[in-house]
Amino acid sequence: MKINVTLPDGNVREYEEGATAMEVARSISEGLARNVLAAKVNDEVRDADRPLPGDCTLSLLTWSDPEGKNTFWHSSAHLLAEALEALYPGIKFGIGPPISNGFYYDVDLGDKVLTDADFAAIEAKMKELALRKSVFQRREVPKQEAVAYYREKGDEYKLELLEGLRDGEITFYTQGDFTDLCRGPHIPNTSFIKAIKVMSLAGAYWRGDEKRKQLTRLYGVTFPKQKELEEHLAMLEEAKKRDHRKLGRELELFTFSEKVGQGLPLWLPKGAALRERLVNFMKTAQEKSGYEQVSTPHIAHKDLYVTSGHYEKYGKDSFQAIKTPHEGEEFFLKPMNCPHHCEIYKSRPRSYKELPIRLAEFGTVYRYEQSGELHGLTRVRGFTQDDAHLFCRPDQVKDEFKKVIDLVLKVLKALDLNDFTAQVSLRDKDDHSKYIGSEENWAKAESDIQEAVGETDMKYVVEYGEAAFYGPKLDFMVNDALGRQWQLGTIQVDYNLPERFELEFVGSDNQKHRPVMIHRAPFGSLERFLAVVIEHTAGRFPLWLAPEQAIVLPISDKFVENARDMVRILKDSDIRASVDERNEKIGRKIRDAELAKSPFMLIIGEKEAAEGTLSIREHGQGDLGTMAPDRFATMVNERIEAQLSGDR
C-alpha cells in the first residue's frame, strides 16, 4: 500500500504505508533530517518517528518553528526530571510543561529543600544524561497498568492525573531510566539538547489550588547550541534592566501598597500623566473615527453577567459577590464592560440608519488573581481597558472590522511597535463545548474575520482553539525590542451576545433584525500595555508620550528665574517642561536628568541668559548646540507630529 504525503509547498510525495516523518525528511535531505525535532501531521504535532496515519499533510518541524521549540523544551523537562530522580531518589512528580521561554517541572522532594547552590549539580547531571543519546520511546498503556506503575512508585500526583484519563488515551514516554505519563510529542533523542541552564525555583501549589500541597517548581531553559544559550542569558540581563517594576520605581511612575491591596496599582503624578497622554491619544483617534464615549458603573447586578454568560464561564475568577440588605440581591465588581454596553444599546429602539453605533469607554474592571500569579502591571486585580463595542448590520461587519485594524495599526506605529504577527484565533476544531452560540453564528463570524483580514496587506496566521468563548478574534502578537512576544490589540466578532441580550434594530424592510457586535481593544489592559511600552523603550518613551519632554538646568541659583521664564515660554508651545532648582553642580544635574530619561536637557548659564537662548542636550545623543526657545519648541513639535504619523 502507498500513501500520499502533501508537503507545505503543495508538493505531493508517495511513500510506503507505515513510513515515518523522519523517513520523509531523509528522502528530502540528510541535512534536513538531522535537524527535525517533530512533525506536524494534519495539524497535529507528533513524534517524528511515529508512522504516518495514511494520506496526510506534513510539516517537518525544526528549532526555527515555534512547535519545534515547544517540543524541544517539553523533552528538556523530561530530561530535567530524569536528572532529579537520579540525584534525589524517591522524588515525586507533578507536571512539567514547556513555556514561552523554556520549561519547568513541579516536584515533591519530601524533606529535601533545593537552593540555587544545587543548580550546578542538576545541570551537570542533565548534560551527562543528554550525551547518552537516549531515544524518547512512546508506549500506549492500559489504565490499569498505568495505575499499578504509579502505585508502586508511590506517586500520588500522577495517580491523580490518571483519574481523569480513560483507556486508550494513556501513553508513557521513556528515555534512559526515566518513564513519565505524557501525551508527547518529543524530540528523537536527548543528544539534541546541548546547552542547559537551570534558571530559578519557586513554590507552586498542586493544580494551582492554595489549599493543596506546595510543590517546588524548577525552571530551566535549553538550546541546541551553547552560543544561543549565551545570547539568551545576555537578553535576560538586558530584560532585568528594562523590568517595568524596576523602572516604574526609578522613574516614579507607579507604586503598590499592601494596605490598598495586592494587584491594585497606584499611579504617581508622572505615571498618571503618562497614562493620561495615552488615553487622550486614543480618545482623539476614536473621535475622528466616529466613536461615542460612554461611562458605566464599577459594579453591576449578578443577573447582567448571568445573561451574558460571563458568570457561568468566569464566576470562579471573580471577586466574591457584594450582598445588599435586600434579600437575595447580589452585585459584582465589574469584570468586563461589554454587557454594560449591550444595555446602553438596548436603552431605546434602534434603526438600521443609525448603524454602526460605536460605543467607547476606558472602563476599569476587576478580576481575582491568586497572589502568586500577580506580576507588576502585567497581571493585576484592577485594570482599565480601552474598550469599545461596535453594533452594526451584518453587511457592515467586514468594513467596520477593517477600520478597527487600521486603528490598531495606528497605535502600534505611534509607539514604534512595528514587529508583530496578526493571529486569527478560531474555535478548537473538535471540542466546541467551551464556546457559546450556534454553529451558524460561529461559521459566519469566523468567515467575516478571515475575509476582512484577507483583504488587507497584513501577513497573518490562523490558530485554532484560541477564540474567546463567545466569538473568534484577531490578536496582534507584538515583538518588543528584546524579541519577546506580547498579545496586545484584539478585535472580536460576536453574534452571540446580541442574541443573549435580545438586541434589535428595525431594518429597511420595517422588520426587526439582530445586530452584530464587534469587541475592540487596541491597548487591551492599559496597565499591561504600559508595562510593555516601558520595557520596550527602556523608559525612553516616544517624545509625544513622555510625561516630561524637557528639563531646564540652571548652572547656578543666579539663573533659576531665567529658567522659570523659559519653562513658561515652552509651555505656551505645549512643551511639557520643568526646572531643576536644586543647589547642585550642573554635572550632577545632567547625570540625574539622564538617569530620569528626560528627552531633552536645556542648560542656562551666563551666555544663554544674556542671549535668551538654551544650550540643548538630547538624552543618549549629547550636545545639539544652542537654540532660541521658539526654535526648540518647533523642533520638538515637528518630531512629535512625525512620530504620531509614523513618519519617523
Side-chain angles (χ1 to χ4, degrees):
M1 293 286 291
K2 300 284 188 180
I3 62 170
N4 292 317
V5 177
T6 304
L7 300 174
D9 62 1
N11 186 23
V12 179
R13 292 186 175 222
E14 192 175 75
Y15 295 91
E16 295 290 334
E17 187 178 32
T20 67
M22 189 61 78
E23 288 169 351
V24 173
R26 290 195 187 99
S27 74
I28 297 171
S29 156
E30 282 294 337
L32 172 62
R34 284 194 294 273
N35 290 297
V36 168
L37 300 173
K40 195 170 186 178
V41 182
N42 295 336
D43 292 326
E44 178 192 3
V45 181
R46 295 159 55 108
D47 303 317
D49 60 0
R50 281 184 68 187
L52 297 172
D55 291 349
C56 62
T57 60
L58 172 67
S59 297
L60 298 165
L61 304 175
T62 67
W63 178 253
S64 61
D65 299 294
E67 298 102 326
K69 280 191 178 72
N70 222 41
T71 305
F72 189 94
W73 284 331
H74 184 188
S75 300
S76 299
H78 280 233
L79 183 66
L80 169 63
E82 184 182 7
L84 291 171
E85 191 167 64
L87 292 168
Y88 311 108
I91 189 173
K92 299 173 185 179
F93 295 95
I95 59 170
I99 53 178
S100 59
N101 276 304
F103 55 91
Y104 68 79
Y105 220 121
D106 289 342
V107 298
D108 183 347
L109 288 148
D111 296 332
K112 168 69 180 175
V113 177
L114 282 183
T115 69
D116 295 4
D118 298 303
F119 290 179
I122 296 169
E123 291 168 6
K125 178 58 72 173
M126 288 179 71
K127 290 173 184 175
E128 174 195 325
L129 295 171
L131 289 171
R132 294 181 184 178
K133 202 174 182 178
S134 299
V135 173
F136 286 88
Q137 297 174 317
R138 180 181 186 273
R139 183 166 69 93
E140 296 181 5
V141 182
K143 184 167 184 175
Q144 186 176 356
E145 181 184 333
V147 169
Y149 176 81
Y150 281 110
R151 276 186 181 154
E152 185 177 345
K153 285 194 77 173
D155 194 327
E156 64 267 29
Y157 306 106
K158 296 296 183 182
L159 285 169
E160 186 174 329
L161 293 173
L162 281 167
E163 289 174 7
L165 300 175
R166 299 188 298 267
D167 265 322
E169 58 184 23
I170 298 170
T171 52
F172 280 3
Y173 274 84
T174 299
Q175 94 274 1
D177 296 325
F178 179 71
T179 296
D180 205 354
L181 170 68
C182 180
R183 286 195 302 266
H186 285 284
I187 61 179
N189 64 69
T190 57
S191 70
F192 284 77
I193 303 169
K194 298 281 199 306
I196 298 167
K197 184 71 176 174
V198 178
M199 299 298 298
S200 62
L201 50 81
Y205 293 107
W206 172 234
R207 309 202 99 168
D209 186 345
E210 293 174 331
K211 297 176 182 177
R212 307 291 297 273
K213 182 167 184 178
Q214 190 175 68
L215 306 182
T216 298
R217 176 169 291 179
L218 208 59
Y219 289 94
V221 69
T222 54
F223 291 88
K225 297 177 182 176
Q226 183 64 29
K227 182 183 177 185
E228 290 170 320
L229 173 59
E230 291 167 1
E231 290 171 350
H232 176 74
L233 295 177
M235 183 275 289
L236 292 180
E237 282 303 309
E238 179 62 24
K240 285 181 185 177
K241 298 175 189 173
R242 292 170 176 254
D243 190 317
H244 74 278
R245 295 167 299 176
K246 172 179 176 288
L247 290 174
R249 287 192 303 272
E250 293 174 357
L251 301 179
E252 298 181 355
L253 301 177
F254 60 89
T255 189
F256 289 90
S257 162
E258 288 293 327
K259 287 186 178 179
V260 172
Q262 289 186 321
L264 300 171
L266 299 170
W267 292 94
L268 305 178
K270 289 181 181 178
L274 177 73
R275 194 173 184 273
E276 194 65 22
R277 185 72 43 186
L278 204 57
V279 168
N280 289 339
F281 166 74
M282 179 59 72
K283 282 183 177 179
T284 300
Q286 287 176 167
E287 189 175 338
K288 290 178 180 177
S289 298
Y291 288 79
E292 297 175 288
Q293 201 73 24
V294 297
S295 180
T296 60
H298 289 256
I299 66 171
H301 199 286
K302 175 182 174 182
D303 288 350
L304 181 72
Y305 306 119
V306 171
T307 299
S308 69
H310 288 97
Y311 181 78
E312 180 186 353
K313 289 286 180 182
Y314 301 119
K316 292 182 296 184
D317 300 322
S318 300
F319 285 93
Q320 292 297 304
I322 303 166
K323 296 184 184 296
T324 73
H326 186 72
E327 182 73 25
E329 189 174 53
E330 291 184 350
F331 286 76
F332 280 85
L333 287 171
K334 179 171 63 172
M336 67 288 300
N337 300 300
C338 35
H340 299 250
H341 291 188
C342 287
E343 288 297 304
I344 289 176
Y345 176 91
K346 200 177 178 180
S347 62
R348 66 171 176 80
R350 304 288 181 175
S351 163
Y352 75 98
K353 294 179 181 179
E354 295 178 74
L355 273 54
I357 292 171
R358 308 178 185 96
L359 304 179
E361 176 180 17
F362 284 88
T364 300
V365 298
Y366 305 89
R367 298 178 191 174
Y368 179 74
E369 301 281 359
Q370 293 187 51
S371 58
E373 295 176 338
L374 298 173
H375 183 83
L377 296 178
T378 61
R379 198 78 178 263
V380 290
R381 288 174 172 168
F383 56 93
T384 302
Q385 293 179 304
D386 64 321
D387 240 342
H389 297 94
L390 292 73
F391 301 89
C392 54
R393 304 190 307 264
D395 63 292
Q396 296 172 320
V397 170
K398 194 196 305 182
D399 282 345
E400 286 301 305
F401 199 92
K402 287 161 70 175
K403 288 175 184 175
V404 177
I405 290 175
D406 290 340
L407 181 60
V408 174
L409 295 180
K410 176 183 174 69
V411 170
L412 297 180
K413 190 178 288 186
L415 289 157
D416 200 24
L417 292 165
N418 298 312
D419 182 9
F420 65 86
T421 300
Q423 175 180 300
V424 177
S425 300
L426 306 179
R427 278 185 306 177
D428 188 291
K429 284 184 174 180
D430 303 313
D431 180 13
H432 293 178
S433 63
K434 54 187 176 182
Y435 309 102
I436 63 173
S438 69
E439 291 293 323
E440 179 187 4
N441 283 347
W442 271 92
K444 284 191 290 187
E446 291 183 338
S447 174
D448 288 337
I449 283 185
Q450 291 182 91
E451 281 187 27
V453 176
E455 292 179 13
T456 70
D457 295 331
M458 289 191 308
K459 293 181 181 178
Y460 68 94
V461 297
V462 176
E463 290 290 341
Y464 292 92
E466 296 297 320
F469 79 96
Y470 50 77
K473 56 181 180 166
L474 177 66
D475 293 319
F476 288 80
M477 315 302 289
V478 178
N479 295 313
D480 68 12
L482 298 181
R484 299 169 301 179
Q485 192 171 78
W486 305 83
Q487 189 268 307
L488 293 181
T490 186
I491 318 169
Q492 302 165 5
V493 175
D494 183 2
Y495 283 80
N496 293 310
L497 282 187
E499 277 196 4
R500 295 179 78 96
F501 281 92
E502 299 180 338
L503 304 184
E504 296 174 337
F505 67 89
V506 176
S508 58
D509 57 1
N510 213 32
Q511 300 298 310
K512 291 182 177 179
H513 299 271
R514 195 77 76 204
V516 183
M517 190 173 176
I518 297 176
H519 304 245
R520 181 239 72 181
F523 296 152
S525 155
L526 193 57
E527 284 71 14
R528 185 171 176 274
F529 189 86
L530 277 168
V532 174
V533 171
I534 290 168
E535 297 196 6
H536 176 64
T537 62
R540 288 184 60 187
F541 302 109
L543 193 53
W544 69 269
L545 184 61
E548 185 174 79
Q549 293 163 325
I551 185 164
V552 184
L553 310 177
I555 64 171
S556 71
D557 290 347
K558 179 180 174 182
F559 304 106
V560 167
E561 198 54 49
N562 301 87
R564 291 172 182 167
D565 289 341
M566 286 297 180
V567 166
R568 283 191 284 271
I569 293 170
L570 293 173
K571 285 185 175 180
D572 286 342
S573 297
D574 294 325
I575 306 298
R576 299 185 292 280
S578 67
V579 180
D580 183 347
E581 299 188 13
R582 296 176 302 160
N583 186 21
E584 297 282 357
K585 292 183 178 179
I586 191 64
R588 171 67 183 272
K589 290 183 178 182
I590 290 172
R591 282 195 301 275
D592 288 349
E594 286 279 359
L595 289 173
K597 304 184 190 296
S598 181
F600 291 99
M601 289 144 274
L602 313 179
I603 301 166
I604 292 184
E606 191 79 48
K607 181 171 181 285
E608 290 82 10
E611 297 176 353
T613 59
L614 296 161
S615 180
I616 315 294
R617 288 180 63 89
E618 185 173 2
H619 179 76
Q621 301 297 319
D623 188 15
L624 298 186
T626 301
M627 293 184 197
D630 58 343
R631 185 182 160 207
F632 170 73
T634 299
M635 180 192 76
V636 170
N637 286 319
E638 284 175 351
R639 287 199 190 183
I640 289 171
E641 187 178 342
Q643 287 179 352
L644 291 175
S645 68
D647 185 17
R648 294 171 183 270

